[in-house]
Amino acid sequence: MPTYAVRGPLVRWLTDEAKRAHTDLGRYRVLDVGCGVKPYEPLFARYSEEYVGVDPVDNPLAELRGSVESLPVADGSFDLVLCNQVLEHCNDPVLGVHELNRVTAPGGRVLASTHGVMPYHPAPTDYWRWTHSGLAKLFWDNGAWSSVRVTPASGTTACLGMVFSLYLDLALRRARVGWIARPIVTGVNHLAEAVDARSARLREPAQPGTLFANFHVVAEVPK
Ligand SMILES: C[S@@+](CC[C@H](N)C(=O)[O-])C[C@H]1O[C@@H](n2cnc3c(N)ncnc32)[C@H](O)[C@@H]1O
């Protein structure tokens, strides 16, 4: 998959966070903001007592209709609030982060992810990209958080490999020989992961020159 640098780490991270939240919070209520096709619901199923999806578009899988900037739920009503691959699409990320904070229960947490680098992909719009420090600032400046942790999903080589793979895949599919891309993309993904694993300079966000496809945010609300 050309977007493996985003999707692979995202699933691993949410799998770990689903379990960690259960250890810390017991059975919890989940709000999935910008839920799309709810691809992460199975990861939370065994730990959650409620899983509610909200989306601003006409989405038959969403229980609620609304945007991250104006969530149709009460203050502090969910223990775990997911907002994955959504902030880049919203009109007002400042307002969105305030809302994520407002709807999270005391002691609960937000699990958000969004892009550092990605080609333009409207859903239905596409406005924003971040660095790790810009994303940390966005959260700290907007809402009362007891902690905010931002980590890159994968390294610099994985990001460069993803961009190469996306355009290779596109070009070969347009030429109706998309099958040729699959083994090349798999090889690029493995090689990139191995290169990043060997070099902290390619992985650590504080290093000048790094480039990241995606970031994961864990933002906790005070008890
Ligand atoms: C790239 S999809 C991600 C879907 C899902 N969260 C995932 O990770 O697969 C972006 C989602 O955000 C939703 N969306 C777009 N603008 C939004 C907004 N302002 N507030 C909440 N969701 C929004 C879209 O309708 C879509 O479901």
Side-chain angles (χ1 to χ4, degrees):
M1 174 198 303
T3 54
Y4 173 78
V6 172
R7 290 290 169 183
L10 184 55
V11 169
R12 291 197 290 271
W13 173 63
L14 289 176
T15 302
D16 291 347
E17 288 295 332
K19 195 170 173 189
R20 191 173 76 88
H22 180 58
T23 305
D24 295 348
L25 308 171
R27 283 186 84 74
Y28 46 69
R29 294 156 294 168
V30 183
L31 181 68
D32 186 348
V33 178
C35 64
V37 296
K38 289 189 177 166
Y40 320 114
E41 188 175 14
L43 307 178
F44 293 88
R46 72 160 92 157
Y47 308 118
S48 58
E49 58 186 28
E50 192 182 9
Y51 192 104
V52 176
V54 54
D55 213 289
V57 297
D58 185 15
N59 178 349
L61 293 177
E63 285 77 10
L64 300 172
R65 190 159 181 171
S67 72
V68 66
E69 296 97 331
S70 179
L71 290 168
V73 303
D75 294 1
S77 48
F78 288 87
D79 308 297
L80 211 54
V81 178
L82 310 182
C83 186
N84 294 118
Q85 311 313 127
V86 171
L87 288 174
E88 67 270 26
H89 301 289
C90 79
N91 292 331
D92 190 341
V94 165
L95 199 54
V97 171
H98 270 293
E99 275 293 90
L100 294 174
N101 185 266
R102 179 186 69 78
V103 304
T104 306
R109 59 188 65 144
V110 171
L111 303 177
S113 60
T114 186
H115 291 302
V117 172
M118 183 57 70
Y120 181 67
H121 60 292
T125 53
D126 185 9
Y127 291 122
W128 314 106
R129 299 290 182 269
W130 281 272
T131 63
H132 72 284
S133 35
L135 204 46
K137 181 171 168 53
L138 176 68
F139 274 75
W140 277 123
D141 287 355
N142 299 291
W145 306 101
S146 53
S147 73
V148 173
R149 200 173 68 244
V150 180
T151 45
S154 50
T156 301
T157 321
C159 180
L160 294 171
M162 179 191 77
V163 173
F164 167 77
S165 296
L166 279 168
Y167 289 101
L168 178 78
D169 182 63
L170 187 64
L172 293 177
R173 275 192 290 118
R174 283 196 180 157
R176 298 182 190 281
V177 286
W179 57 271
I180 296 177
R182 264 176 243 137
I184 301 173
V185 168
T186 302
V188 167
N189 289 337
H190 286 310
L191 182 65
E193 217 165 31
V195 171
D196 285 331
R198 291 175 69 94
S199 168
R201 294 185 68 164
L202 296 169
R203 288 193 317 268
E204 299 297 337
Q207 295 286 342
T210 44
L211 197 66
F212 299 112
N214 216 38
F215 295 102
H216 302 160
V217 183
V218 181
E220 294 181 328
V221 167
K223 288 192 175 138

